[in-house]
Amino acid sequence: LKQTSGNPSSSFPPNFLFGTASSAYQYEGGYLSDGKGLNNWDVYTHKPDNVIDGSNGDIAVDHYHRYMEDIDLMVSLGVNSYRFSISWARILPKGKFGKVNPAGINFYNRLIDALLLKGIEPFVTLTHVDLPQEIEDRYGSWLSPESQEDFAYFADVCFRSFGDRVKYWVTFNEPNYQVKFGYRTGTFPPSRCSWPFGNCTSGDSEKEPFIAAHNIILSHAAAVHIYRTKYQAKQGGSIGIVLNCAWFEPISNSLADKLAAERAQSFSINWFLDPIIFGRYPLEMQNILGSILPEFSTTEKEKLQKGLDFIGINHYSSSYVQDCMFSACEPGTGTSKTEGFWRETSQKNGIPIGESTDLDWLYVYPGGMEKIVTYLKKRYHNIPMIITENGYGEEGKANATIEDFLQDVKRAEYMAGYLDALSTAIRKGADVRGYFAWSLLDNFEWQYGYTRRFGLHHVDYKTLKRTPKFSASWYKELIAEHGKVKYQTTERVQKHPY
Ligand code: GBH
């Protein structure tokens, strides 16, 4: 990443990336088109009861066929970058056990070229949750060290095929939640868990998340090693990883609650970043977990250190954290030993941390953006950071009309508040290089199917018609002014109704 010099008239540096984000399974559809193999989400969603509205991503928002139309929407927004992910099974239908699918390569070539033609920087995630079913069937995905070779092979194919034009690479999206859902709660494939509330048939919720995470961390390191030794000098891009970075606010000023909040950060974020940057797991995790935590060999440790060029931050929400280690929490309310003994709550003395939304996990607390960015800046010595996702989700009432969704003043206010907090962090010295809104379009929201909408554009799921919401026009104006707008929008949105 190139250093950019500050522009006194704006908190955002001159080459700041303003974009929108997406992911392959949530957008593309075309699940059997042109030689694509089945992936774990194709198989998972085709089984009953895994998605609340019984839907799947077979068609999703048909980005596979409508990407040109979607690029036009980006042009209209004025974004200078687009974050998307590659469907692994489109490139390698059977992982490393089969051939490269030329039609898959061709699709991403066309997408990348069309973006560049419009001056939009492709920002590419290698895998955003989906992987070839072959890998799941053969060896249970991330539970086996063999996954490292498979991922490295895939990464190599992508760098070789697209790296002449792609300057930003992300290895994994939110592996911290991927392993939690896949191997602790069992609510994502491969649906492994042993907790009483889960309905998994096999797994070990207290051990497998750490094994899966370990293999993902080493897979990341393997891909970075390939990029740095074979491609980076020639291609000149940069590579990072994306984590979900919620902010955990201690519920009181007591030392116990502060330590609990620190454990919450460690057990969800530093769990991945410490090994990749320092070559070891966080000390809190080592102390509590002991031998549950897999070990890195000496050569692995060397390979791991400084293993990224930027930290990708998905930040949406914050919660309060209460200690459950030094004093017992009410049974069933705190996390177990393997998550670090703390209790998460959205309220303090009956007052929520921020305005609530339709989604039970999403509270509007813009201060969390400044706090998490500042926290990561300090812990990782201001390695460049990029906000790879931030967004506002709605369920809408059962009888909601398109008009109700188009008047998304709350989404614009949410983004305005978070961008304002981000600009404060940048002004105080945080090296943040970009911001991607989740999401360009309403899309397939994993186990919630099509019931939750995060788009700046509304999608009619019968016709797949895209319609800009109020937030799209708001974001367009913000970008046109390089983020230099009056941030407190309540007044602005009243002045510029949809
Ligand atoms: C992102 O994760 C994903 O990267 C993206 O694919 C998705 O569409 C987008 O969010 C919107 O949800 O069940 O209490 O543990 C966002 C972070 C982390 C939000 C897990 C939901 C579940 C809270 N997600 N979180 S809980």
Side-chain angles (χ1 to χ4, degrees), residues 101-269:
N101 172 29
I105 301 278
N106 189 273
F107 168 66
Y108 294 104
N109 275 335
R110 284 181 284 131
L111 173 62
I112 291 166
D113 291 345
L115 287 165
L116 288 171
L117 207 60
K118 303 285 184 179
I120 299 172
E121 191 81 51
F123 191 104
V124 180
T125 305
L126 288 170
T127 174
H128 192 121
V129 178
D130 59 313
L131 50 79
Q133 180 64 22
E134 185 80 16
I135 293 176
E136 201 124 305
D137 290 343
R138 288 227 188 199
Y139 52 76
S141 307
W142 306 109
L143 284 182
S144 165
E146 196 171 344
S147 58
Q148 298 171 34
E149 284 160 44
D150 233 307
F151 182 71
Y153 180 73
F154 168 54
D156 201 347
V157 171
C158 292
F159 300 147
R160 186 164 66 235
S161 308
F162 312 122
D164 56 335
R165 288 152 293 152
V166 172
K167 301 305 161 201
Y168 294 92
W169 292 102
V170 162
T171 53
F172 288 88
N173 180 73
E174 296 193 0
N176 48 343
Y177 275 100
Q178 206 180 312
V179 302
K180 175 178 172 179
F181 295 156
Y183 302 91
R184 187 187 292 279
T185 62
T187 47
F188 269 22
S191 327
R192 296 183 63 85
C193 65
S194 57
W195 278 8
F197 58 78
N199 52 6
C200 311
T201 45
S202 50
D204 183 341
S205 296
E206 308 289 343
K207 289 209 179 80
E208 288 186 357
F210 301 102
I211 297 168
H214 196 73
N215 286 317
I216 287 178
I217 290 164
L218 289 168
S219 299
H220 165 91
V224 169
H225 183 73
I226 290 171
Y227 189 62
R228 288 194 171 156
T229 52
K230 283 174 72 175
Y231 300 100
Q232 198 166 31
K234 207 166 41 192
Q235 298 180 343
S238 56
I239 187 163
I241 191 167
V242 166
L243 292 165
N244 183 272
C245 301
W247 171 250
F248 298 106
E249 179 79 18
I251 197 160
S252 83
N253 275 329
S254 77
L255 181 60
D257 288 337
K258 284 184 186 159
L259 290 172
E262 185 60 31
R263 286 200 301 284
Q265 300 286 346
S266 276
F267 277 74
S268 66
I269 303 169

Side-chain angles (χ1 to χ4, degrees), residues 292-320:
I292 293 175
L293 213 48
E295 273 180 47
F296 296 114
S297 70
T298 319
T299 40
E300 284 170 348
K301 275 185 197 153
E302 275 161 22
K303 233 190 209 169
L304 276 165
Q305 290 187 39
K306 303 208 173 71
L308 45 69
D309 301 319
F310 63 87
I311 299 172
I313 299 171
N314 287 359
H315 178 73
Y316 290 82
S317 189
S318 299
S319 44
Y320 289 116

Side-chain angles (χ1 to χ4, degrees), residues 40 70 113 202 213 229 237 386-387 389 393 415 436 458 472 490 498:
N40 55 341
D70 294 338
D113 291 345
S202 50
T229 52
I386 295 174
I387 309 303
E389 287 178 29
M415 288 171 65
F436 291 84
H458 176 272
T490 323
Y498 174 74

